């Protein structure tokens, strides 16, 4: 199911900014795909070629036009720290995702992105937003908690054809402090 409303081109999250991915962000996709922590702890495809990274950004743009997904570059000023996004799901509950480069970790950027995107979705009419982490990813679990998400269940899923235990988190309207986001 599509997202209820069109996603903004940008969100200002305190000192951090989310700006919609552009064709020139294929380098970011490729860099993330080569980071061992991103490979280990996310569903992000590993070791993308330049062509595959370009296609991934193109697919994200096409999905956004259909109101199914919005992927953003997560920035601190001019420095790109990683990516974050929101996607529709078959259960009408948007899902938040993020992946950061090493220079972006430990700065509060992932928390700001998860909180800001979930605030946007909740303010737009969704009653609940979800986020998934691979069990054992304590850094991402801490991000989810700080962003106001609560763990609800685990489920076995596939990560590159091998089973992993995923922890599902939810955040609901009225379930925590607002981030004071500004949409652009």
């Amino acid at each position: 199911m599509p997202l209820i409303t069109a996603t903004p081109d940008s969100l200002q999250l305190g000192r951090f900014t989310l700006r919609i991915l552009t064709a020139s962000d294929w380098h970011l996709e490729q860099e993330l795909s080569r980071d061992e922590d991103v490979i280990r702890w996310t569903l992000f495809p590993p070791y993308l070629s330049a062509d595959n990274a370009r296609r991934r950004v193109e697919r994200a743009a096409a999905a956004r036009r259909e109101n199914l997904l919005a992927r953003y570059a997560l920035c601190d000023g001019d420095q790109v720290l990683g990516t974050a996004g929101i996607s529709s799901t078959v259960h009408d509950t948007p899902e938040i995702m993020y992946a950061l480069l090493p220079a972006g970790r430990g700065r509060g950027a992932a928390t700001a992105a998860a909180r800001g995107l979930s605030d946007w979705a909740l303010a737009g009419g969704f009653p609940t937003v979800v986020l998934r982490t691979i069990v054992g990813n304590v850094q991402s679990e801490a991000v989810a908690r700080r962003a106001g998400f609560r763990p609800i269940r685990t489920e076995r899923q596939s990560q590159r054809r091998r089973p992993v235990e995923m922890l599902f988190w939810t955040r609901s309207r009225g379930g925590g402090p607002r981030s004071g986001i500004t949409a652009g």
Side-chain angles (χ1 to χ4, degrees):
M1 298 291 290
L3 296 167
I4 291 173
T5 59
T7 53
D9 291 337
S10 65
L11 288 171
Q12 190 62 47
L13 310 169
R15 72 182 238 216
F16 302 109
T17 304
L18 290 174
R19 65 158 176 76
I20 206 70
L21 285 182
T22 64
S24 64
D25 288 313
W26 71 267
H27 290 285
L28 171 61
E29 292 289 281
Q30 190 175 48
E31 193 174 353
L32 285 164
S33 81
R34 294 178 177 177
D35 181 84
E36 291 304 318
D37 282 334
V38 171
I39 292 168
R40 178 178 182 191
W41 293 115
T42 73
L43 303 177
F44 205 96
Y47 308 109
L48 292 171
S49 67
D51 285 343
N52 286 341
R54 284 184 184 98
R55 278 193 288 277
R56 186 168 157 84
V57 171
E58 289 167 7
R59 283 192 307 273
R64 183 172 188 237
R65 287 189 294 275
E66 294 178 31
N67 217 24
L68 298 173
L69 168 76
R71 295 227 13 255
Y72 296 89
L74 176 53
C75 305
D76 186 356
D78 292 333
Q79 185 180 19
V80 178
L81 307 176
T83 186
I86 186 168
S87 69
S88 62
T89 67
V90 295
H91 305 293
D92 289 337
T93 303
E95 181 175 352
I96 306 298
M97 68 215 57
Y98 49 84
L100 295 178
L101 297 168
R105 297 178 191 142
R107 298 165 72 160
T111 300
R115 186 180 302 130
L117 286 168
S118 60
D119 279 353
W120 175 84
L122 295 170
F126 286 102
T128 304
V129 181
V130 300
L131 183 149
R132 293 181 289 165
T133 60
I134 294 175
V135 171
N137 184 350
V138 294
Q139 287 85 5
S140 198
E141 291 170 2
V143 165
R145 279 190 185 88
R146 286 191 302 269
F149 287 79
R150 301 290 174 253
I152 59 165
R153 74 176 188 278
T154 60
E155 186 176 294
R156 206 156 187 76
Q157 293 189 333
S158 178
Q159 180 200 42
R160 293 178 280 285
R161 296 190 193 107
R162 78 177 170 85
V164 293
E165 203 69 24
M166 299 293 287
L167 183 55
F168 280 72
W169 302 76
T170 62
R171 183 169 179 230
S172 300
R173 266 191 235 150
R178 302 284 308 223
S179 66
I181 61 169
T182 305

